[in-house]
Amino acid sequence: MAKTNVNGLDPHQQEFVKLIRENADRHPVHEVFRDFCEMGAIALSNKVDMLNRGKRENRYLQIVKRYRPGEIHRFPEMFGAMVASLELGFHDCLGELFMALELGDHWKGQYFTPFSIASLMARMTMGDVRDLIARKGFFTINEPCSGAGAMFIAAAQAVHEQGINYQQHMHATAQDIDLTAVHMSYVQLALYHIPAIVI
């Protein structure tokens, strides 16, 4: 089982870590985390994309088959812990969990930018987007290595602090080569109501 550094995690993230450890009795932690992210993305997507609902639901059931009933019930609890953490304010909940669970070794040596750095970069580069919004009605942001979506969350925070409703005026295009990162981005951007296309 992967080591876990819970220093710096909020109480809801610590609850998530406890639940994922409990589900890692028969499964490696990185697989449980991967499955959590994919099932979360499927559940959210199935609420808005009816065209592909059946295909996604079949994939969801395929993942669930690997788990015992007691393990299956922990996934909604993990989701609840993640949502409670996100409700504390802007931050990269899943990226922080990914790093705390030391999962980078399982996914091509990935390292997710700490949210404090993403936030600093967003404040430095976003500037005042009011002129762009006045001309076009919105602005776009693109991240070719989206990870868990930290840069988008930080950008949303930066414009929110300027008194701009990012839900109405920001559009994100998130891309990543890793499917788990794509699912992480999708889940967090959906829950923060950041208009986005995740590729």
Side-chain angles (χ1 to χ4, degrees):
M1 183 174 0
K3 300 174 199 165
T4 306
N5 176 9
V6 294
N7 295 335
L9 296 182
D10 65 53
H12 306 295
Q13 289 173 309
Q14 291 177 26
E15 176 65 14
F16 183 101
V17 167
K18 180 180 87 63
L19 291 163
I20 209 166
R21 280 179 171 164
E22 290 170 359
N23 263 19
D25 182 43
R26 296 184 319 112
H27 310 275
V29 171
H30 72 277
E31 287 182 12
V32 178
F33 187 83
R34 177 201 65 207
D35 290 343
F36 166 80
C37 292
E38 186 171 0
M39 288 191 298
I42 289 169
L44 289 169
S45 184
N46 277 352
K47 292 294 183 187
V48 294
D49 179 11
M50 297 303 156
L51 184 63
N52 295 298
R53 190 177 196 286
K55 180 180 167 185
R56 287 195 180 105
E57 193 62 24
N58 288 338
R59 175 62 184 149
Y60 187 97
L61 295 172
Q62 194 177 41
I63 296 167
V64 167
K65 282 182 193 174
R66 296 197 295 261
Y67 294 91
R68 294 175 177 159
E71 295 168 338
I72 293 168
H73 293 298
R74 287 190 192 104
F75 284 104
E77 292 178 42
M78 283 184 238
F79 197 88
M82 177 195 61
V83 169
S85 176
L86 292 174
E87 287 177 345
L88 296 176
F90 292 100
H91 71 114
D92 180 12
C93 176
L94 291 178
E96 292 161 5
L97 286 165
F98 183 94
M99 295 309 295
L101 291 164
E102 299 182 2
L103 298 178
D105 291 342
H106 298 285
W107 280 291
K108 308 162 194 76
Q110 288 174 328
Y111 179 83
F112 289 0
T113 304
F115 189 72
S116 57
I117 303 296
S119 185
L120 174 66
M121 291 169 63
R123 286 187 176 105
M124 290 172 61
T125 58
M126 291 309 294
D128 190 348
V129 293
R130 290 175 200 281
D131 288 342
L132 191 56
I133 292 169
R135 281 186 282 122
K136 292 185 163 186
F138 65 97
F139 67 95
T140 60
I141 182 170
N142 187 351
E143 171 62 75
C145 300
S146 67
M151 292 305 297
F152 299 112
I153 298 166
Q157 178 187 35
V159 297
H160 175 75
E161 289 171 353
Q162 295 178 38
I164 297 167
N165 184 339
Y166 65 86
Q167 296 173 5
Q168 294 177 343
H169 300 293
M170 178 173 125
H171 189 274
T173 301
Q175 301 172 66
D176 207 290
I177 61 169
D178 181 79
L179 197 53
T180 297
V182 166
H183 293 142
M184 293 166 76
S185 283
Y186 183 86
V187 167
Q188 293 198 127
L189 297 179
L191 292 173
Y192 275 119
H193 304 284
I194 296 172
I197 295 171
V198 184
I199 304 167

